[in-house]
Amino acid sequence: MTVSTIKIAPSLLAADFLHLGDQIAAVERGGADRLHLDVMDGVFVPNISFGMPVISAARRATTLSLEAHLMIASPDDYIHAMAEAGANSILIQVESAKHLDRALEQIKQLNKRAGVVLNPATPLESISEIVELLDVLLIMTVNPGFGGQRLIDYTLDKVRRAREWLNLRNPACDLEVDGGIDVSTIARAAAAGANVFVAGTAVFGAEGGAAVGIQRLLNAVNPPSP
Ligand code: DX5
Ligand code: ZN
């Protein structure tokens, strides 16, 4: 895979919240493809992060595409609010959606990109009926709720199978991985077939700053020729 097909989606969860504007500008300059926004409600996952006010502030700070990853108990009820706040893509966990088909339809009607997210233990088969409806398929490579966790190896097999499905049924769909993506894991996730890589700690926690973190991730997939 070439660098241009490898897309980095920095997760704002790992940013310095006192300096969000600067942090967003740094990843925009550093070549981020989109900004990943982890919305957590303390019910679907055992953590609370941020919601619409932070998304609309990010909207004012950048022209990057904003991707809202909803880790909340009733995602169906917040689609409008996320779109209104400025999200360009809305990603719904299949485990918490009440009516997934309707939710995806609502997202598309708002002219936003529609995506689903599968937890590590959720089988790929749970979305077999709706593969063609997706703009984004996100495979969690950790259990959702926290940054800084280790990638769970068996999830990469699901990425491999998802790549086969998408090649056959929806090749334009992004195949994204989220959790534990760093310089030691990104190449394996890319080899499994992912093309979008969410990274929080590896970007915002990078020594030298977020732009350096993005470059290191890209280099780990495609080492620069000597
Ligand atoms: C976890 C979130 C991730 C998280 C990734 O629930 O969905 O987006 O921020 O963080 P890292 O890259 O540190 O594993
Ligand atoms: Zn996420």
Side-chain angles (χ1 to χ4, degrees), residues 36-200:
H36 184 86
L37 300 160
D38 288 304
V39 179
M40 304 179 184
D41 67 351
V43 179
F44 179 69
V45 288
N47 195 9
I48 300 175
S49 58
F50 53 76
M52 286 74 88
V54 170
I55 297 178
S56 53
R59 180 69 296 156
R60 293 194 301 277
T62 183
T63 57
L64 281 175
S65 181
L66 300 182
E67 170 175 272
H69 173 191
L70 304 188
M71 285 162 275
I72 61 179
S74 304
D76 312 60
D77 299 338
Y78 290 90
I79 290 169
H80 270 93
M82 292 297 151
E84 194 97 318
N88 301 94
S89 309
I90 300 174
L91 312 187
I92 301 222
Q93 295 269 163
V94 296
E95 303 84 358
S96 65
K98 286 188 206 79
H99 301 283
L100 194 51
D101 174 82
R102 182 185 289 143
L104 293 172
E105 185 56 33
Q106 282 172 353
I107 296 170
K108 283 162 187 267
Q109 288 207 334
L110 293 164
N111 284 320
K112 307 300 174 190
R113 302 182 79 222
V116 295
V117 187
L118 304 186
N119 278 341
T122 303
L124 189 60
E125 286 67 24
S126 64
I127 54 149
S128 64
E129 310 302 325
I130 52 149
V131 173
E132 285 81 1
L133 305 182
L134 302 177
D135 297 307
V136 181
L137 171 55
L138 172 50
I139 306 288
M140 287 307 296
T141 39
V142 299
N143 287 297
F146 302 94
Q149 303 180 75
R150 260 177 73 103
L151 180 140
I152 299 170
D153 280 307
Y154 73 76
T155 60
L156 293 182
D157 186 57
K158 185 159 44 179
V159 175
R160 241 169 253 121
R161 286 179 282 123
R163 170 48 65 203
E164 285 171 17
W165 282 23
L166 292 179
N167 282 351
L168 287 173
R169 296 174 57 183
N170 187 355
C173 180
D174 277 332
L175 179 54
E176 188 163 341
V177 283
D178 184 3
I181 298 298
D182 59 24
V183 290
S184 70
T185 57
I186 190 170
R188 278 192 291 140
N195 70 306
V196 184
F197 304 83
V198 177

